[in-house]
Amino acid sequence: MKIKSIRNTKIKTKLLVLGLISIGGLLFLGTESILTARQINQASTDISESWLPSIIIAEELNKATSDYRLKENYHVIAKDEAMMRFADEELGMLRGEIKEKFDRYENYITSPKDHEMMLQAQELWNQYLLCSDDILALSRAGQTEQALELIREGSRTLFEESSGLILQVVEFNKTGAEQASIKADRLYHRLTREKTIIIVVVVAVIALILSYIIQAIEKPVEALVEGTRRVANGDLSVHLDYRSEDEIGVLTRSVNALIGRLNDMIKDEKHLLHQIGNENYHAESECQKAYCGDFAPILYAITSLQNRLEQNQLNQKKHEEQSEKQAVIEHISTKGRGKMRK
């Protein structure tokens, strides 16, 4: 019963309850945040000692690029195709992993300098990959010496510069973590005051947004209810004008599409039945695509009716022709018997 009553509750009531719960929860969360803010001072000291996502990703990136370098050498010295294919697979996976780490690092950039260093490292790595493509091509062609020479002379500098920049990123973030700990101590005294201000502002914003949402939902829902009621009463001239990308907008477009399809099918059925009334049993539907899903049997029934009526018409004509032939034969026979009597 409780679930049913909640389901039957109006959207406005649901949103009001949700808003009240959100505001109450936010107030509780804000109060708790103020009380626990004192712990931030101690927790900030642990920033430089705990792992930071940016440091971990950069170190993993450095390891992955080193692994790629090793697998590249393994590919060159591979002595059979099976080993070479295995190395190709490993290199392909490492390329994807390295690209994913470069992309993921974008979410943890701490400053323009950090971004610039990592961007330079990525550019150097992309240049290295172009050189690596040439190395692997030579390796697949069996030109091992040329490939090794290119590894030693052509790609070594690019690899070392890229790897060096990645290590600089690691050190840069470690230094930044230490500075963040010092800065957190200074921000501690501002935290309580700012939290209070934020809570007040957020509560006011939520209240305004909640009021707007209620107004934005109530009117289009009422229009949908009225429109569907008219359609249920047989009025297919309804057109709903609400346009939005939210769920109500999607529902409105679906209702308009349904009404349009019903109009098309009714007009088409009138056309087909009119043609059947004029004994035109070869008339075709002008909107066959509208008869999809559970609407398909309607068109099938009309088509079947056309076929049966056409068959009955043919049978009737055939019967009439046979009757005429029989009448002619009887007439000729009657005349023949008359002459014989004479």
Side-chain angles (χ1 to χ4, degrees):
M1 293 299 294
K2 289 183 178 181
I3 295 177
K4 186 176 181 181
S5 63
I6 293 173
R7 184 179 300 171
N8 293 331
T9 304
K10 293 182 178 179
I11 295 177
K12 182 178 180 179
T13 304
K14 291 180 181 178
L15 289 175
L16 281 173
V17 173
L18 177 61
L20 292 174
I21 293 174
S22 300
I23 292 172
L26 182 60
L27 289 171
F28 174 80
L29 178 62
T31 304
E32 183 66 19
S33 297
I34 293 173
L35 295 175
T36 57
R38 300 178 183 276
Q39 303 175 17
I40 296 177
N41 188 34
Q42 180 61 39
S44 63
T45 307
D46 300 330
I47 293 177
S48 60
E49 300 175 0
S50 61
W51 60 272
L52 296 173
S54 56
I55 296 174
I56 291 177
I57 294 172
E59 289 179 341
E60 290 178 349
L61 194 56
N62 183 58
K63 181 179 180 300
T65 54
S66 298
D67 290 343
Y68 184 92
R69 180 76 169 175
L70 291 173
K71 292 294 181 182
E72 187 180 62
N73 281 274
Y74 177 80
H75 188 286
V76 173
I77 63 175
K79 295 183 179 180
D80 54 59
E81 292 185 2
M83 294 173 63
M84 194 172 293
R85 283 197 301 271
F86 175 76
D88 275 326
E89 293 176 1
E90 292 289 323
L91 288 170
M93 288 189 293
L94 282 171
R95 282 195 178 202
E97 180 183 344
I98 292 168
K99 184 180 183 303
E100 185 270 336
K101 291 185 185 301
F102 272 121
D103 294 339
R104 188 152 57 97
Y105 191 85
E106 293 289 330
N107 298 323
Y108 300 99
I109 290 175
T110 56
S111 70
K113 184 177 179 181
D114 180 28
H115 182 258
E116 183 180 356
M117 287 192 296
M118 186 55 77
L119 191 62
Q120 289 178 359
Q122 188 172 8
E123 289 176 355
L124 287 169
W125 178 253
N126 289 335
Q127 294 176 22
Y128 174 82
L129 288 179
L130 293 176
C131 190
S132 178
D133 290 337
D134 296 335
I135 293 171
L136 296 177
L138 291 171
S139 176
R140 295 187 190 99
Q143 300 178 17
T144 305
E145 291 300 326
Q146 293 88 330
L148 289 173
E149 180 66 22
L150 193 55
I151 288 176
R152 288 191 296 266
E153 302 297 333
S155 65
R156 180 178 177 180
T157 302
L158 290 171
F159 175 79
E160 290 178 350
E161 289 180 357
S162 177
S163 181
L165 279 171
I166 293 173
L167 291 175
Q168 288 181 36
V169 169
V170 173
E171 292 302 320
F172 177 83
N173 281 283
K174 287 181 178 179
T175 303
E178 295 173 356
Q179 294 175 352
S181 178
I182 298 172
K183 185 178 180 180
D185 294 337
R186 297 173 182 171
L187 292 174
Y188 165 70
H189 299 288
R190 295 169 49 191
L191 181 62
T192 303
R193 184 179 69 255
E194 291 179 355
K195 277 281 186 180
T196 304
I197 296 173
I198 290 173
I199 290 171
V200 173
V201 172
V202 169
V203 169
V205 170
I206 289 178
L208 290 173
I209 293 175
L210 185 60
S211 175
Y212 171 78
I213 290 175
I214 291 174
Q215 294 179 4
I217 291 178
E218 190 174 19
K219 292 183 180 179
V221 168
E222 288 177 353
L224 275 171
V225 172
E226 176 63 19
T228 52
R229 184 191 63 78
R230 288 171 57 189
V231 172
N233 291 330
D235 182 4
L236 296 181
S237 64
V238 176
H239 181 78
L240 303 173
D241 296 324
Y242 182 74
R243 295 180 182 180
S244 177
E245 296 301 323
D246 59 9
E247 294 83 354
I248 298 178
V250 174
L251 179 59
T252 300
R253 290 193 293 272
S254 299
V255 171
N256 285 333
L258 175 61
I259 295 171
R261 175 170 291 180
L262 290 174
N263 273 313
D264 291 341
M265 287 193 297
I266 290 173
K267 291 178 182 177
D268 190 58
E269 289 166 16
K270 288 180 180 178
H271 166 71
L272 292 174
L273 292 174
H274 178 73
Q275 293 298 319
I276 290 173
N278 293 331
E279 297 185 355
N280 178 15
Y281 305 125
H282 297 284
E284 295 184 355
S285 171
E286 297 177 352
C287 57
Q288 293 184 8
K289 292 183 179 180
Y291 297 91
C292 60
D294 292 336
F295 293 122
I298 297 174
L299 183 60
Y300 176 75
I302 294 175
T303 304
S304 299
L305 176 63
Q306 287 177 316
N307 293 333
R308 287 197 297 271
L309 291 174
E310 184 180 14
Q311 187 62 41
N312 289 339
Q313 186 183 54
L314 293 174
N315 291 337
Q316 184 178 359
K317 288 182 179 180
K318 185 176 181 181
H319 178 73
E320 290 176 354
E321 290 176 356
Q322 289 178 350
S323 297
E324 291 177 357
K325 289 181 180 179
Q326 186 65 31
V328 171
I329 292 173
E330 290 178 357
H331 179 70
I332 294 174
S333 298
T334 303
K335 284 185 176 182
R337 285 195 300 270
K339 288 180 180 182
M340 290 178 63
R341 287 176 186 158
K342 291 177 179 182

